């Protein structure tokens, strides 16, 4: 798995994001490109904002048991996999706004670096290693950029 905290990896992802157009069509799934970008921003919003309330202890335990391995493990996401309710984007979004936000989130993550994330508490999975954080961010974004052919 590539390392999201390495500048080369971030630059590659930024280049792929720049290839997206507001008319880009998905190869699978129901989201349009602006919704996909908003969906990808949720991962970062959960780290950098209080926009989404954290689950309680019992709910966190269940989420950890059911989803952690799939989210931070090496196995790629399957096409059309179910997602957590917070990640469902069904309203219309502005492509440029969401694209700019995602670029800013990637740059912020790169600037903060691996040390910032080392053993840091996640929204729903408790503390994660640097490798788990990198996988969480990269695998999800790679999945959706591939969905849109970039």
């Amino acid at each position: 798995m590539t390392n999201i905290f390495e500048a080369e990896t971030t630059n590659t992802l930024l280049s792929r994001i720049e290839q997206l157009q507001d008319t880009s069509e998905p190869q699978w799934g129901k989201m349009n490109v602006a919704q996909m970008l908003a969906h990808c921003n949720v991962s970062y919003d959960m780290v950098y904002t209080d926009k989404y309330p954290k689950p309680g202890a019992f709910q966190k335990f269940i989420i950890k048991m059911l989803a952690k391995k799939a989210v931070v493990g090496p196995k790629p996401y399957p096409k059309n996999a179910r997602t957590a309710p917070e990640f469902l984007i069904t309203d219309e979004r502005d492509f440029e706004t969401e694209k700019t936000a995602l670029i800013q989130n990637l740059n912020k993550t790169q600037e903060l670096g691996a040390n910032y994330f080392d053993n840091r508490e996640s929204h729903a999975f408790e503390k994660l290693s640097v490798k788990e954080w990198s996988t969480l961010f990269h695998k999800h974004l790679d999945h959706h950029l591939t969905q849109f052919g970039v």
Side-chain angles (χ1 to χ4, degrees), residues 129-143:
S129 69
V130 170
K131 183 178 178 181
E132 289 172 323
W133 276 110
S134 179
T135 301
L136 180 149
F137 288 134
H138 187 271
K139 184 167 84 167
H140 186 236
L141 190 51
D142 178 66
H143 172 78

Side-chain angles (χ1 to χ4, degrees), residues 1-49:
M1 185 62 66
T2 55
N3 184 346
I4 194 85
F5 301 111
E6 293 178 357
E8 183 178 339
T9 300
T10 298
N11 290 338
T12 298
L13 291 170
L14 291 170
S15 175
R16 291 171 70 189
I17 292 167
E18 288 297 341
Q19 293 176 47
L20 293 169
Q21 304 293 319
D22 62 354
T23 56
S24 296
E25 293 288 329
Q27 296 177 5
W28 71 84
K30 298 176 183 176
M31 292 184 289
N32 64 37
V33 68
Q35 291 169 325
M36 177 275 289
L37 293 168
H39 168 87
C40 289
N41 277 318
V42 173
S43 297
Y44 298 95
D45 287 343
M46 287 182 169
V47 174
Y48 299 131
T49 74

